[in-house]
Amino acid sequence: APGITAQSITVKESPPDASLVGTWALEKYYSSGTGTSSQFSYSSSRSVTIYPNGAFTESSASSANLNNTTGTTSAYLDGGDRGRVVKRGTTLSFHYDNGKVWNAEYKIDGGQALVLNGSMYLRQ
């Protein structure tokens, strides 16, 4: 009878490629409503800087505004974080200093865009 031999598969960890080094930004904006009806807008930005030694820093900001007949309501939130990034095949694994880990499938698009889990970050 033929035997089946199990082999373990290992994925090599490596520092980020030189093409990943730099600052990448993702910006989103949404707006609805016009005239005297309720108007809502939301914007967010996220910036990730990857360094040649595998360190990264991240900053983010978002704001929301609602204008209606009772006035204007606004909210703003910002933050930042840092850690180390490791490349495993087509996955970038962001290991934050606070213990959080974020894994993202990635690809470089034309040298000027970094696509992480389908979101396009532009080179700054």
Side-chain angles (χ1 to χ4, degrees):
I4 297 174
T5 303
Q7 294 181 349
S8 64
I9 298 174
T10 59
V11 178
K12 183 178 177 235
E13 288 187 2
S14 57
D17 294 335
S19 62
L20 291 169
V21 172
T23 300
W24 304 92
L26 172 68
E27 297 187 359
K28 296 181 180 180
Y29 179 78
Y30 172 79
S31 179
S32 69
T34 58
T36 58
S37 69
S38 292
Q39 296 173 319
F40 174 77
S41 65
Y42 172 80
S43 65
S44 68
S45 64
R46 180 177 183 207
S47 174
V48 177
T49 301
I50 299 174
Y51 298 93
N53 67 357
F56 77 91
T57 57
E58 172 186 288
S59 63
S60 61
S62 60
S63 66
N65 293 295
L66 174 64
N67 296 320
N68 59 24
T69 55
T70 61
T72 301
T73 303
S74 299
Y76 180 80
L77 178 66
D78 66 356
D81 224 328
R82 64 184 191 172
R84 300 201 55 76
V85 62
V86 176
K87 185 178 82 125
R88 291 183 181 97
T90 60
T91 300
L92 292 179
S93 185
F94 293 86
H95 297 264
Y96 293 84
D97 287 351
N98 65 7
K100 183 176 77 170
V101 176
W102 177 53
N103 294 309
E105 288 295 312
Y106 86 96
K107 71 176 183 175
I108 298 288
D109 189 353
Q112 294 303 306
L114 171 62
V115 181
L116 295 174
N117 287 347
S119 294
M120 187 176 293
Y121 291 71
L122 300 179
R123 185 180 292 279
Q124 298 298 293

